[in-house]
Amino acid sequence: MRNLTAKYLLLSGLLMICHLLKAQDKPVEYLALSARHISPGHKTYYIDPVKGNDNNAGLTATKPWKTFNGVNKLILSAGDNVKVLAPGQFHETLSIVARGTKENPVTITFATGKYDFFPDGAFKTQLQISNTNDVPYGLKAIALMVDSSRFINITGNNSLINLRGKMIETFIDHSNNIRLSGLNFDYHRPTVSEFKIKALTENHADAIVNAESEYSIKDSTLTWIGEGWRYQPDSYWQQYDPATRMLERLDIPQQNLKYAALNAHQIRIFFKQNPGFKKGMVYQNRNVTRDCAGLFIQKSANINLDHIRIYFMHGMGVVSQFSKDLNFNHVIVKARDGRTCAAWADILHFSGCSGKIEIANSYLSGANDDAINVHGTFLKITEKLSSTQVKVKFMHDQTYGFDAFSTGDSIGLVHPASLLTYQSNKLTNVKKLNNKEFLLTLSKPLPAAMETGDVVENITATPEVWIHNNMIEKIPTRGILVTTRKKVLIENNIVNRTHNSAIMINDDASSWYESGAVKDVTIRYNTFFECGGPVIGLLPENKVTSPKPVHTGIKIIENKATLKGTHFFDASSTGGITIIGNQITSSGNIKDINKLISLKDCKDVKINNNRVTNR
């Protein structure tokens, strides 16, 4: 009898545990805007993931809510405050909708500590993100979301948002006057795996695997394991040199490698011929599928990221897409101690933005691609329907799905071979036909010179750019890419040992279709140390010699450059170039700056008062 009772109690206990688990696993409900309750304003709502209870009113610190679900049912009003009183675990998105004012903003405050965000109950949605569309219809989980809101200050007090699976760290959508400050972001298990070569022989390499890079080996094949994901490496790797702090891409084919575990954190890699491993180097590996972004800002304005620290982000970095007036100040992107990678791809990526972009006082490092990339997107004309109507199409399979035009936008018609704009026009109507095609109605007739296959640039969606007082290093590609016809000022930055150019100004209508021509660029008072060549490049990808310059108005003034190679400045199809007062230290026996400069089809070039010394 006693045994039966014990079994009954045990069974009852197990049933109770299952019931609780089932209740916890119940899908989190995310209300539409129309179903949310409007807060009366000037209220304070409290959340405590440890001591709270969602049955509480959430209006006092002694009776707080446990989860974000209470706040997620509200439209916060002017003067409202949300206070997260203690760190803890969250299985749901903090989904903010708020209507603050300039005088009485809505404030979200996190107590200092670590906050684990899990994707299981998070809000998930389809998002079409520029340069990131390998999984266009997959659902992306979000940790923090600000939707259709205005005048919000989110303050972290140096707290850590720690992601427990692939998630967008913060998503700001159709909102304005949003400020994030004092927040740190990281992944419990970064999606870039790392190991360091400890010993090397003719036939094998011994590697110490980063403690956070979980893996398994079966049948001599390595599999990286993460939270909700796993993959086997392909040939794409990166090599980091701790001595020089240089990062470069490396091709390491896997078909002839065999792996064996020596212990929990050491592996042996067998080969007949060394594919490129070097003793003392750190090797990074990632799944190259572009399926997410770190932070995503879409169709928003007056967004301020201030004193933000990012230890790791998965996907195409901080992506700002068709947003206006963006200020990033004291943004530190740096791998946590013990790691070498902080960004799965680009760090700061701007697509189709407008107004003014300012990036200041920041440290950008440890990427798998460019540190800063500012560009628009050319769409190809596929059909002329009338004298004022054309059908246009996204051409790159990573960039499509978002609204590339709005009624009232100014556009330029461009010949892709010459990259010259031959007509400026205005849109009177935009119809999205599908995720890749639009029907554009123009205010004035198309010129006779227009041909199917020409491209269209959204001139309205081009920003003014000010990049100043930043440090950029540990970048395997380029430091700064920028293509915008508005004013660009790049000053007082330090760019250290980028594998390719420190600053590259491109423009292409045949590969990534990243527009467009620049008209006013000043690069001054910067320090470039052993960057790949050319240190500064203006290299549009026009296919024919243009009768007029593609780029114009370039001023390179009083920069200091220590060269790694023999190219300080390369330009093609560029007019109005001024290179004055630069101090260049060359690694070769070169004292004439003209030998460090390459010009092709350039006009109106002035080179004066530059000084070249040799190391």
Side-chain angles (χ1 to χ4, degrees), residues 56-331:
N56 291 336
L59 293 171
T60 65
T62 57
K63 292 188 176 181
W65 289 320
K66 181 178 180 65
T67 71
F68 297 134
N69 292 335
V71 173
N72 292 349
K73 296 175 182 177
L74 296 172
I75 296 177
L76 299 169
S77 298
D80 278 346
N81 295 281
V82 176
K83 293 187 176 182
V84 186
L85 300 174
Q89 297 186 349
F90 291 93
H91 292 261
E92 68 281 345
T93 299
L94 174 56
S95 177
I96 295 295
V97 178
R99 306 285 191 263
T101 65
K102 184 177 182 179
E103 297 76 17
N104 293 289
V106 171
T107 301
I108 316 294
T109 305
F110 288 86
T112 303
K114 185 172 82 169
Y115 297 80
D116 284 315
F117 280 76
F118 295 82
D120 52 350
F123 178 76
K124 301 176 181 71
T125 188
Q126 292 181 0
L127 292 170
Q128 313 294 330
I129 303 174
S130 179
N131 297 63
T132 314
N133 242 8
D134 271 335
V135 189
Y137 306 113
L139 298 179
K140 295 170 176 60
I142 299 161
L144 308 180
M145 182 165 67
V146 177
D147 182 20
S148 305
S149 297
R150 58 179 179 261
F151 290 103
I152 304 175
N153 294 330
I154 301 177
T155 303
N157 292 304
N158 203 32
S159 56
L160 174 66
I161 305 300
N162 192 47
L163 302 188
R164 303 302 303 270
K166 289 184 182 180
M167 302 180 76
I168 292 178
E169 295 167 2
T170 299
F171 177 32
I172 300 174
D173 187 28
H174 286 81
S175 298
N176 65 75
N177 294 285
I178 311 298
R179 182 175 184 267
L180 273 68
S181 65
L183 284 165
N184 303 316
F185 295 94
D186 200 2
Y187 265 61
H188 178 75
R189 168 48 164 120
T191 57
V192 175
S193 302
E194 305 183 18
F195 59 64
K196 183 176 183 178
I197 300 299
K198 177 184 177 182
L200 192 63
T201 72
E202 185 178 351
N203 299 116
H204 74 261
D206 288 343
I208 301 173
V209 181
N210 186 282
E212 297 174 347
S213 296
E214 186 179 352
Y215 69 93
S216 69
I217 296 175
K218 183 178 180 181
D219 298 330
S220 302
T221 299
L222 175 68
T223 299
W224 297 115
I225 301 171
E227 295 189 301
W229 56 267
R230 61 172 55 218
Y231 71 93
Q232 294 175 353
D234 61 9
S235 61
Y236 176 91
W237 292 73
Q238 290 199 154
Q239 176 182 281
Y240 174 69
D241 186 343
T244 63
R245 300 164 69 88
M246 287 192 66
L247 189 61
E248 60 183 314
R249 291 178 173 176
L250 193 67
D251 188 60
I252 303 180
Q254 296 295 295
Q255 55 266 31
N256 296 320
L257 302 184
K258 296 184 182 297
Y259 293 84
L262 300 180
N263 56 49
H265 296 295
Q266 291 194 48
I267 60 175
R268 178 163 289 176
I269 310 166
F270 295 95
F271 43 75
K272 291 183 179 179
Q273 182 176 354
N274 187 347
F277 292 125
K278 295 179 182 179
K279 184 178 178 180
M281 299 294 179
V282 177
Y283 293 86
Q284 305 171 354
N285 181 244
R286 65 179 170 100
N287 184 338
V288 297
T289 301
R290 299 182 179 213
D291 59 358
C292 197
L295 284 73
F296 184 37
I297 302 167
Q298 174 178 256
K299 293 280 186 177
S300 296
N302 295 308
I303 308 301
N304 188 319
L305 271 59
D306 184 33
H307 285 85
I308 299 295
R309 184 167 188 135
I310 299 172
Y311 294 103
F312 184 82
M313 54 183 166
H314 172 71
M316 190 53 66
V318 181
V319 180
S320 302
Q321 182 169 287
F322 283 86
S323 292
K324 181 178 180 180
D325 294 329
L326 306 166
N327 184 289
F328 295 175
N329 187 33
H330 287 98
V331 175

Side-chain angles (χ1 to χ4, degrees), residues 461-521:
T462 52
E464 179 181 347
V465 178
W466 185 21
I467 301 171
H468 62 101
N469 299 98
N470 305 288
M471 183 168 183
I472 296 172
E473 65 175 352
K474 302 178 187 176
I475 302 297
T477 48
R478 286 106 357 156
I480 300 170
L481 283 78
V482 59
T483 52
T484 174
R485 55 179 70 205
K486 302 289 192 337
K487 180 180 179 180
V488 176
L489 177 58
I490 302 172
E491 61 180 350
N492 295 308
N493 302 284
I494 298 172
V495 185
N496 184 32
R497 286 175 166 157
T498 54
H499 185 70
N500 301 115
S501 299
I503 299 173
M504 175 62 69
I505 296 172
N506 201 217
D507 187 12
D508 84 84
S510 58
S511 54
W512 277 93
Y513 288 81
E514 292 185 357
S515 63
V518 300
K519 305 296 182 185
D520 183 355
V521 177

